[in-house]
Amino acid sequence: MLGERNNVVVHFKDGRVLKGFTHDFLPERPLFHLNVALEGQASDVRDIKVADLKAVFFTKTFEGNKSYKEKKSFEQRESTTYHGIKIKVDFKDGEVIRGMSLGYNKHKKGFFVIPIDPKSNNNRIYVVMDATAKVAVGPAAEQ
């Protein structure tokens, strides 16, 4: 992630959303830089404080595929393709995501979730722990 250009959609706890590129996101750092300019436009780099965020969605594209119906439940996918633990995240704002995590630890400031559907527009999602209302792991994540 460091040095590599990543498309991200940044969701703030207050409901704001920004789309852009980052080269320096690291989970243990309190701050990263987001270039919100689109291709061919002047650079508009902003400091983003992780403590202000709900989640960082690392995306394939900014547009996504509006006609694609993403798989949202574990039973919709072959279980032999899973890596990590099943996880369900209930955010304080009511959004729910499910996926797999290789590094969930309730004592850390955040963790990554890999979406259930490999065809999702999201490659991975960094969840900020204090934006969550509840996190369920293992069989409890399926409910």
Side-chain angles (χ1 to χ4, degrees):
M1 279 177 274
L2 189 60
E4 168 184 338
R5 178 178 150 154
N6 293 282
N7 295 345
V8 295
V9 178
V10 178
H11 290 247
F12 289 84
K13 291 175 187 167
D14 65 9
R16 289 178 296 138
V17 175
L18 286 176
K19 296 178 181 182
F21 310 99
T22 186
H23 293 275
D24 66 348
F25 177 85
L26 287 173
E28 61 275 3
R29 286 191 179 165
L31 178 91
F32 66 97
H33 300 94
L34 181 70
N35 186 338
V36 296
L38 299 175
E39 290 290 336
Q41 294 180 351
S43 186
D44 180 9
V45 178
R46 300 182 190 181
D47 292 345
I48 305 295
K49 294 179 185 173
V50 176
D52 294 340
L53 302 179
K54 166 186 157 178
V56 180
F57 292 77
F58 291 79
T59 63
K60 294 172 185 162
T61 69
F62 292 122
E63 301 80 30
N65 181 351
K66 306 280 188 238
S67 65
Y68 181 69
K69 181 74 172 148
E70 186 175 335
K71 294 174 178 74
K72 301 277 187 180
S73 64
F74 293 105
E75 61 269 1
Q76 292 178 298
R77 182 160 174 213
E78 176 61 44
S79 63
T80 58
T81 62
Y82 292 143
H83 300 288
I85 58 169
K86 292 179 181 178
I87 196 158
K88 176 185 173 192
V89 178
D90 290 271
F91 287 100
K92 290 178 181 174
D93 68 2
E95 183 179 6
V96 176
I97 60 170
R98 287 183 175 84
M100 304 302 293
S101 182
L102 296 172
Y104 172 70
N105 179 332
K106 65 182 177 182
H107 301 293
K108 290 191 174 184
K109 292 183 180 183
F111 56 94
F112 281 100
V113 173
I114 308 298
I116 290 172
D117 190 344
K119 293 181 182 177
S120 168
N121 190 48
N122 296 308
N123 289 316
R124 63 192 178 278
I125 304 158
Y126 181 75
V127 175
V128 178
M129 186 65 81
D130 69 0
T132 66
K134 180 181 174 185
V135 177
V137 296
E142 297 180 36
Q143 301 176 24

